[in-house]
Amino acid sequence: MCADTSVQAFWYCSPVCAHLCFFIYDVFHIAQVLDNAVYTFESELMEMIKDSSKDLTAPQAAAAVHQCKESVQEKFSQDGHKATVSYFKGIMVTLAMPVMMKVVNPICEPILKPIADLVPEELSDVLDVEKLFEETVEKVVQGAIDAVVDPACASHAALAQNGAKGSE
């Protein structure tokens, strides 16, 4: 299931449907991420065991497991942060699009109608001017959200790292 396709189908109908699609998509995505974390842990542990001497003592094995666990937890935390930011960006786009279309549509409709009439009927299935317009508006909204959220997340991550370093 592709979240983008589901949301595009439902965002006009109801924001609740769009959020439900994001939730269902994210449940499957989280299961996949957990599977990847387990695989990464197993791969890193096997690589560490293979690289070390064949006669591992119990403390060495415990240290290897702990090191792999810490590494995978850090990667999992980063992936979780990225997924959370992506999820909330999608919600913001879903909420902003109807408002944006309500404002922009009346302004651009007099321009789009003549352009759409210029498209030959044979190409109207392939070249849908209104759909292109909606996709363009969505990209603009996504770009505006990215421009606000990405720097905020980067500064938050920098503050969190400085706070973690300061507590050590």
Side-chain angles (χ1 to χ4, degrees):
M1 170 191 285
C2 179
D4 295 336
T5 306
S6 301
V7 171
Q8 288 173 356
F10 290 118
W11 70 279
Y12 277 118
C13 301
S14 169
V16 174
C17 290
H19 296 304
L20 181 61
C21 289
F22 274 123
F23 177 74
I24 291 170
Y25 169 77
D26 286 336
V27 167
F28 290 117
H29 182 71
I30 288 170
Q32 182 183 13
V33 168
L34 287 172
D35 286 345
N36 291 346
V38 170
Y39 175 78
T40 302
F41 175 78
E42 180 183 8
S43 298
E44 286 186 12
L45 184 60
M46 290 303 186
E47 190 68 29
M48 281 185 135
I49 290 172
K50 190 168 115 180
D51 289 345
S52 67
S53 65
K54 293 183 180 181
D55 298 327
L56 277 178
T57 63
Q60 289 173 331
V65 168
H66 181 71
Q67 186 178 358
C68 285
K69 181 187 89 168
E70 294 294 323
S71 171
V72 171
Q73 282 179 337
E74 178 65 29
K75 290 175 185 174
F76 187 74
S77 176
Q78 291 170 355
D79 289 348
H81 175 73
K82 289 177 187 175
T84 302
V85 169
S86 174
Y87 176 75
F88 283 110
K89 281 181 178 180
I91 290 173
M92 288 182 214
V93 170
T94 303
L95 293 174
M97 278 302 294
V99 176
M100 186 63 120
M101 291 303 290
K102 185 177 180 181
V103 171
V104 175
N105 232 3
I107 297 168
C108 294
E109 193 171 326
I111 299 167
L112 293 175
K113 192 71 170 158
I115 294 172
D117 291 340
L118 291 174
V119 175
E121 194 170 319
E122 296 82 22
L123 293 176
S124 63
D125 292 339
V126 178
L127 186 62
D128 186 359
V129 174
E130 290 180 22
K131 183 179 177 184
L132 289 171
F133 171 70
E134 288 177 16
E135 290 172 357
T136 304
V137 171
E138 186 172 355
K139 287 178 185 176
V140 168
V141 169
Q142 182 68 49
I145 289 171
D146 289 346
V148 172
V149 173
D150 290 344
C153 288
S155 65
H156 176 67
L159 287 173
Q161 276 187 336
N162 290 337
K165 289 178 182 176
S167 66
E168 292 176 354

